[in-house]
Amino acid sequence: MRGDLVAREPERLARWEKDGLYRRIVEKRRAAGSPKFVLHDGPPFANGDVHMGTALNKVLKDLVLKSKSMAGHECPYVPGWDCHGLPIEFKVVKESRGLESAEIRRRSEAFARQYIDIQRNSFRRLGVLGDWENPYLTLSPEYEADIIRVFATLVEKGLVYQSQKPVQWSYGAQTALAEAEVEYQDVKDPAIFVKFPLATGAYAGESSMVIWTTTPWTLPANLGIAVHPQFTYLRGEFTNAERGVTENFIVVRELVEVFGQKTGFVPSGELAELKGAELEGAEAQHPFLPRTSRVILADFVTTETGTGAVHIAPGHGSEDYLAGQQNGLGLLSPVDDEGKFTAEVGVDFLVGKHVHESNVPIIKLLAEKGALIGKENYLHSYPHCWRSKTPVIFRSVPQFFIRIDALRETALKEIDRVQWLPHWGRNRIFGTVESRPDWCISRQRTWGVPLPVFYDAETAEPILDADLARRVADLTESGGTNLWFEKDDAWWAEQLGLPAGTTRCTDTLDVWIDSGSSHVAVMDRHPELSCPADLYLEATDQHRGWFQSSLMLSVAVRDAAPYKAVMTHGFVVDQDKKKISKSEAAKSGKPVDAAYFYNKYGADILRLWVSSVDWQNEVPFGEDLFKQTAEPYRRFRNTLRILLANLHDFDAAKDAVADADFPLLDRWILERLHQVVVECREAYAAYEFRKVFNTLNQFCAVDLSALYIDITKDRMYCDAADSSRRRATQTAMHRVFEALAKLLAPILSFTADEAWEYAGYADPVHLELFPEAAPAFAAAEASEKVAQFSRLRDLAQVAIDAAVKADEFKKRERAAVVFHLPPDDPARALLESAPEEALEFLMVSSFALADAEGEATATVAATAHEECLRCRRSLPLVASRLCGRCEEAAAIS
RNA sequence: CCUUCCGUAGCUCAGCAGCAGAGCGCUCGACCGAUAAUCGAGAGGGCGCGGGUGCGAUCCCCGCCGGAAGGACCA
């Protein structure tokens, strides 16, 4: 057994694949009637190389599957890829502009397939076993057809509607975004105070409302001003001494002081109190457009910032939209796909201007009109598109939505029936499901599954029809959804028997519908799988993403969650706990691609690293940390190797000794093994791979390498080959080896199997079951005695080291030890009753007992015995300059 | 502002009520029949801080500080 993992692992992998190892394991379990365990693979995006984060996820899945399988489960694993979506279309469109839809889709598919191959090779190389020949792809026609059928079901249940309410819009990507596609960044924006003179009502021509906003560009769409009905507002003269201006304002009482600090306008006369409710219905003059803005009442008004009067632009915010609806304010959204103002904006010089370049001119305009009351820089977190990194704007265009309220109650109930690992995952998804708005599912993009909706030839109203959608699914099932983009409206109308002139929707479905439908398109379809899955296992960001989209669609389709348990792991971060970004990693020369590591160190080292990591939290990563796990790897490898070497002349069937015949030391190691087996089995069952790693590492380092193997070396080399003591050791080592190889197999998949092969087994270790705990060794009978021995050994060690340093002798085998022990020391009885074992354990020439008054101590001197020529121990020698044992052994051989 | 998680040797982490542990790294030594190994010794820790409950607390409880994640607010 040699190292050289980088060269040897691929050879073993090739053999596994040639023999169909994955399939053999599944079939063996099935033949044994093992219960199933279904881990449903969350599909990674097919748009990049496998980096450490992806590798962590897939290897964790493999650890789960291999350990479940060895614990006696049938574990089918169908990996998949998420193929549609903006990230891919983005790259394709960037390369060459002005492509036809069908061409974009062809190139996008080629792009996705290219990365599917790259990623698949990486995952295989990492030793992840699964049905790699038949993965599920969200771009395959059958999968796409199932997505459309899921949509049909949603329509059938009345869950889909079209509306023009504001959605989060990325002008960078020119599409609506879902909540999960939005990330928040801290930005500084101008926040301004704007005067709206009242034109009707009790204070018409006298007082002005003042609003506060961080988005001046939404002012052209202003249609209302909201005040809180119960708040107390103050009305009266405010003077800005610096500017020499006096105005009559209405400001909420709690904010008058702050308002003064920020705008310079402080009360200069008596202020009258009034309730917000009194202002309802008054019209205020828009600061630069020839229309008025109605004062409405709303509970969401707060006294935290601003003036207590809130600028309402129903086209640019969801609360604004709702308030607008309730009060019949109408809706303006004078912004196009690119984020530029349309003619509807009503101000000539703004038309065609980007909204984010319009803040300054609008502020200037306000100042000219005398409507700008104050201005400040305001630091806040603002949503950004996760792909184009541009700020998100709220914008109203017709979109399709799923009614979340119809699903929410069941979804929340289902969340509490699922096991969340770690437990706080429950709160995370519960919170988002509890508060999420309706799901905007239409995307104005090309690379995706078409939204199977038509528009009436006459009225242009959308036709939401489940049967129609199902027929679209049937039509695309064989040819794929490219049909939607390649054929024209007339063709489709004819195919579906719709009146001529019917047009089809050009939107595609949100990709979260794609992956969120996998429980239907994969779990329900695949004969080996079934829904609900036993486990979903992804990074923690999927609480907002896949876990949620899957839950919602599953509740819509089957009124239940698609999973019984959900496990999440943290992100891979660099050693300073900063996010690892590819561009930065490249700059600093810190590789993050999994390929770099398995090509340099080997997949088993990477797997061992994964097992050693605390997946619940963020996972720090760096090459230094990675190298640290190479050391334990060598220990595992060497331990397996020396065990194998010591077993070279052992035939379990012939040579094994009975349980009752184990000497102390061997009984002890089997007691330890018993604990290790129990602990590892439990740890695997709880997915605590790190505990497995720690337990096995300690077992190999402390119990096996430093003690058991070291001490029994003498027996192995020098006892007569067939002596019962040597055979007992081999029997124990044989058990230890088998258990160790099996317990390591899920983690060190290549190395454990290599050892297994060397041990003479024809079939890979991965077909085996975990070792069973041996009840006969559950009691720690020998362990207590060995603990005493260890104590004595440590005691002697100090004295021996001093003697070696003083040049009294060179090695511990030359030491004659005297233990000075108190009369009641428990070690006394042990030394007297088992002198042979004691001598062997201590690895010294001789020992003697003496009385001690206080603490136990040991003294040493050079032994008078000569070294046995054969075993090099210093013992009483017989005539031939051999010790008694060696003379006998030599006589036999 | 709220919730959760984390804070033990230089590094990565065990332990979780009863004399502070492992691995790596470092220093020094032994072995030379696990040798691109193996064995040993040493240095290195008021177990984040402050209280509390216990005979006894790193471990339980409360508060605080520091770090991370999520939520709320804002959009």
Side-chain angles (χ1 to χ4, degrees):
Chain A
M1 255 181 95
R2 290 216 181 144
D4 201 10
L5 302 186
V6 176
R8 289 172 157 260
E9 285 174 348
E11 293 167 18
R12 183 161 301 275
L13 185 58
R15 254 183 297 158
W16 287 348
E17 302 207 333
K18 191 167 142 264
D19 297 346
L21 177 58
Y22 161 72
R23 184 81 12 233
R24 286 184 66 196
I25 296 171
V26 172
E27 273 158 18
K28 183 169 180 184
R29 293 292 176 269
R30 187 180 308 151
S34 309
K36 269 199 187 178
F37 180 88
V38 176
L39 167 63
H40 179 45
D41 192 40
F45 260 120
N47 73 330
D49 294 326
V50 173
H51 60 87
M52 287 309 292
T54 329
L56 171 71
N57 175 260
K58 270 296 195 280
V59 171
L60 278 174
K61 283 172 177 161
D62 193 54
L63 295 181
V64 168
L65 289 166
K66 287 210 176 94
S67 59
K68 281 287 176 195
S69 180
M70 293 186 80
H73 287 86
E74 181 193 335
C75 302
Y77 179 57
V78 181
W81 274 274
D82 204 357
C83 309
H84 294 129
L86 208 53
I88 293 172
E89 184 174 345
F90 233 55
K91 290 188 186 170
V92 167
V93 173
K94 231 182 222 168
E95 276 171 22
S96 40
R97 301 203 171 266
L99 296 173
E100 302 252 322
S101 295
E103 183 58 22
I104 290 175
R105 291 173 56 84
R106 266 190 293 277
R107 293 194 188 192
S108 293
E109 173 162 354
F111 183 96
R113 286 194 182 275
Q114 172 198 340
Y115 277 103
I116 288 166
D117 278 342
I118 290 172
Q119 293 190 1
R120 171 163 48 193
N121 285 339
S122 277
F123 294 148
R124 285 175 141 160
R125 177 64 186 83
L126 287 170
V128 178
L129 296 182
D131 195 357
W132 295 110
E133 299 306 320
N134 308 291
Y136 74 88
L137 307 180
T138 60
L139 60 65
S140 71
E142 317 87 69
Y143 194 113
E144 289 187 331
D146 273 342
I147 295 171
I148 294 175
R149 292 192 184 102
V150 167
F151 179 81
T153 304
L154 297 173
V155 170
E156 194 165 58
K157 297 197 172 180
L159 295 168
V160 181
Y161 67 94
Q162 195 197 32
S163 164
Q164 204 189 328
K165 65 182 176 184
V167 293
Q168 308 203 68
W169 180 272
S170 166
Y171 53 78
Q174 292 181 32
T175 183
L177 297 176
E179 191 62 27
E181 296 168 320
V182 162
E183 59 189 27
Y184 292 79
Q185 291 173 25
D186 281 337
V187 292
K188 209 186 267 179
D189 275 323
I192 54 172
F193 293 86
V194 182
K195 179 176 82 168
F196 279 67
L198 287 167
T200 70
Y203 313 111
E206 198 176 319
S207 301
S208 296
M209 303 299 296
V210 182
I211 62 93
W212 177 84
T213 179
T214 57
T215 50
W217 65 266
T218 59
L219 282 171
N222 173 284
L223 291 169
I225 295 168
V227 296
H228 196 287
Q230 266 92 53
F231 287 174
T232 298
Y233 289 78
L234 299 180
R235 188 180 79 85
E237 304 272 304
F238 286 72
T239 301
N240 183 320
E242 203 179 312
R243 286 162 60 182
V245 179
T246 296
E247 297 265 8
N248 190 304
F249 289 148
I250 295 173
V251 176
V252 77
R253 183 173 58 193
E254 286 81 352
L255 288 166
V256 165
E257 197 182 330
V258 182
F259 175 72
Q261 290 161 8
K262 291 188 171 168
T263 63
F265 280 93
V266 294
S268 54
E270 282 298 300
L271 295 181
E273 289 192 2
L274 63 144
K275 285 285 176 204
E278 295 173 41
L279 294 162
E280 185 178 17
E283 297 283 344
Q285 179 58 46
H286 192 282
F288 55 81
L289 288 169
R291 65 162 185 262
T292 56
S293 186
R294 186 168 347 128
V295 179
I296 60 169
L297 304 180
D299 289 335
F300 59 77
V301 176
T302 69
T303 56
E304 274 166 31
T305 50
T307 60
V310 175
H311 154 58
I312 299 293
H316 293 308
S318 51
E319 279 182 341
D320 301 45
Y321 174 79
L322 284 175
Q325 289 273 296
Q326 283 159 14
N327 293 282
L329 295 185
L331 187 146
L332 281 173
S333 186
V335 180
D336 69 10
D337 290 359
E338 295 174 41
K340 294 176 177 164
F341 279 119
T342 61
E344 203 185 7
V345 71
V347 180
D348 287 347
F349 69 86
L350 288 177
V351 176
K353 208 169 185 62
H354 197 280
V355 295
H356 280 115
E357 287 161 5
S358 301
N359 280 339
V360 173
I362 287 176
I363 291 169
K364 227 175 115 191
L365 177 66
L366 290 169
E368 283 164 14
K369 302 266 181 187
L372 186 67
I373 298 307
K375 183 175 167 239
E376 61 178 330
N377 284 320
Y378 190 68
L379 187 70
H380 61 158
S381 70
Y382 192 85
H384 288 68
C385 174
W386 68 333
R387 285 301 152 200
S388 64
K389 306 294 176 195
T390 50
V392 162
I393 59 176
F394 273 86
R395 172 178 180 244
S396 302
V397 280
Q399 302 283 358
F400 290 89
F401 296 87
I402 292 177
R403 272 179 234 287
I404 294 299
D405 278 334
L407 303 171
R408 203 183 314 271
E409 195 186 332
T410 310
L412 292 175
K413 225 181 284 167
E414 283 297 299
I415 285 173
D416 279 331
R417 298 184 50 190
V418 172
Q419 185 195 5
W420 300 93
L421 293 169
H423 66 90
W424 40 258
R426 180 263 176 202
N427 285 345
R428 226 183 254 192
I429 190 163
F430 196 92
T432 53
V433 170
E434 201 174 24
S435 62
R436 71 161 293 166
D438 279 355
W439 183 355
C440 173
I441 57 169
S442 42
R443 293 290 179 279
Q444 290 67 48
R445 304 305 316 176
T446 304
W447 180 227
V449 174
L451 221 153
V453 167
F454 294 86
Y455 295 102
D456 188 275
E458 304 283 316
T459 65
E461 285 296 307
I463 306 168
L464 280 165
D465 184 311
D467 285 336
L468 217 47
R470 290 211 175 89
R471 280 156 66 201
V472 172
D474 294 342
L475 278 169
T476 55
E477 172 110 41
S478 49
T481 54
N482 277 345
L483 275 181
W484 189 264
F485 298 87
E486 286 161 2
K487 303 292 183 184
D488 59 15
D489 285 336
W491 185 89
W492 278 99
E494 196 190 322
Q495 289 294 316
L496 298 170
L498 294 164
T502 308
T503 58
R504 65 200 194 288
C505 177
T506 57
D507 290 351
T508 51
L509 283 162
D510 178 10
V511 286
W512 292 106
I513 302 266
D514 288 28
S515 56
S517 298
S518 66
H519 53 91
V520 172
V522 181
M523 284 202 281
D524 286 348
R525 286 271 183 252
H526 203 292
E528 285 184 316
L529 307 177
S530 57
C531 192
D534 291 287
L535 187 69
Y536 276 34
L537 197 180
E538 306 298 331
T540 171
D541 58 337
Q542 299 303 327
H543 282 118
R544 310 181 118 247
W546 190 52
F547 299 147
Q548 206 204 161
S549 62
S550 298
L551 174 67
M552 288 306 178
L553 293 179
S554 183
V555 165
V557 169
R558 68 186 96 233
D559 281 321
Y563 35 65
K564 295 179 193 161
V566 174
M567 171 172 160
T568 54
H569 61 264
F571 289 119
V572 173
V573 295
D574 73 17
Q575 283 169 66
D576 308 323
K577 299 253 176 175
K578 272 183 270 170
K579 258 195 188 166
I580 290 186
S581 79
K582 265 202 160 169
S583 51
E584 269 178 47
K587 246 184 278 164
S588 59
K590 288 182 202 156
V592 291
D593 275 351
Y596 171 86
F597 291 98
Y598 61 65
N599 284 331
K600 184 167 173 186
Y601 299 94
D604 264 1
I605 308 269
L606 198 153
R607 298 178 62 95
L608 189 61
W609 171 75
V610 170
S611 80
S612 75
V613 125
D614 177 17
W615 48 261
Q616 293 199 31
N617 296 107
E618 287 194 320
V619 179
F621 178 79
E623 194 155 0
D624 293 347
L625 298 179
F626 195 80
K627 277 184 191 159
Q628 275 193 17
T629 62
E631 206 50 46
Y633 172 80
R634 281 206 212 98
R635 184 185 317 288
F636 285 131
R637 186 177 188 85
N638 277 316
T639 305
L640 289 169
R641 190 167 60 164
I642 185 68
L643 289 172
L644 279 173
N646 284 345
L647 290 168
H648 77 278
D649 66 340
F650 178 75
D651 177 351
K654 255 188 12 238
D655 305 320
V657 305
D659 279 3
D661 298 336
F662 283 113
L664 176 65
L665 198 58
D666 309 284
R667 173 157 179 101
W668 163 73
I669 200 67
L670 291 172
E671 286 174 5
R672 279 290 298 130
L673 181 65
H674 172 266
Q675 292 172 354
V676 167
V677 168
V678 169
E679 281 174 30
C680 287
R681 291 190 69 127
E682 282 175 5
Y684 269 126
Y687 310 130
E688 291 173 357
F689 308 117
R690 170 178 229 160
K691 188 166 184 187
V692 176
F693 170 84
N694 273 320
T695 301
L696 292 179
N697 191 28
Q698 302 249 359
F699 181 57
C700 286
V702 180
D703 300 310
L704 286 174
S705 195
L707 287 175
Y708 187 67
I709 292 172
D710 202 37
I711 292 169
T712 56
K713 225 182 270 183
D714 174 67
R715 300 179 181 182
M716 295 313 303
Y717 298 143
C718 303
D719 277 9
D722 206 30
S723 78
S724 66
R725 189 169 81 161
R726 186 164 176 278
R727 290 307 190 194
T729 305
Q730 287 183 314
T731 306
M733 284 188 174
H734 181 251
R735 294 189 193 179
V736 169
F737 170 80
E738 296 216 328
L740 196 56
K742 291 173 183 173
L743 291 173
L744 280 171
I747 299 170
L748 300 182
S749 290
F750 294 95
T751 306
D753 189 46
E754 189 184 353
W756 198 248
E757 188 185 343
Y758 269 80
Y761 296 96
D763 280 336
V765 68
H766 303 293
L767 289 156
E768 299 294 318
L769 294 170
F770 278 144
E772 297 288 341
F777 296 92
E781 292 169 17
S783 295
E784 282 164 35
K785 292 178 183 168
V786 168
Q788 286 300 326
F789 281 154
S790 286
R791 204 184 114 233
L792 295 173
R793 200 172 137 111
D794 292 344
L795 219 51
Q797 188 66 48
V798 179
I800 290 169
D801 274 327
V804 168
K805 200 158 230 173
D807 238 5
E808 289 176 42
F809 48 82
K810 293 292 284 181
K811 55 179 186 175
R812 69 177 302 134
E813 285 81 357
R814 296 291 299 157
V817 187
V818 180
F819 289 113
H820 306 264
L821 302 175
D824 58 343
D825 195 303
R828 291 188 88 107
L830 186 59
L831 286 174
E832 280 161 4
S833 67
E836 289 272 330
E837 280 93 346
L839 200 57
E840 185 189 23
F841 196 96
L842 295 163
M843 297 207 297
V844 295
S845 172
S846 65
F847 70 84
L849 261 174
D851 292 334
E853 312 214 333
E855 288 191 358
T857 56
T859 54
V860 298
T863 181
H865 297 306
E866 281 185 61
E867 256 185 26
C868 166
L869 283 178
R870 186 162 172 274
C871 68
R872 300 193 182 178
R873 291 178 70 187
S874 300
L875 298 170
L877 300 186
V878 294
S880 52
R881 297 196 58 197
L882 296 176
C883 68
R885 181 266 314 264
C886 283
E887 177 150 277
E888 269 183 51
I892 295 169
S893 58

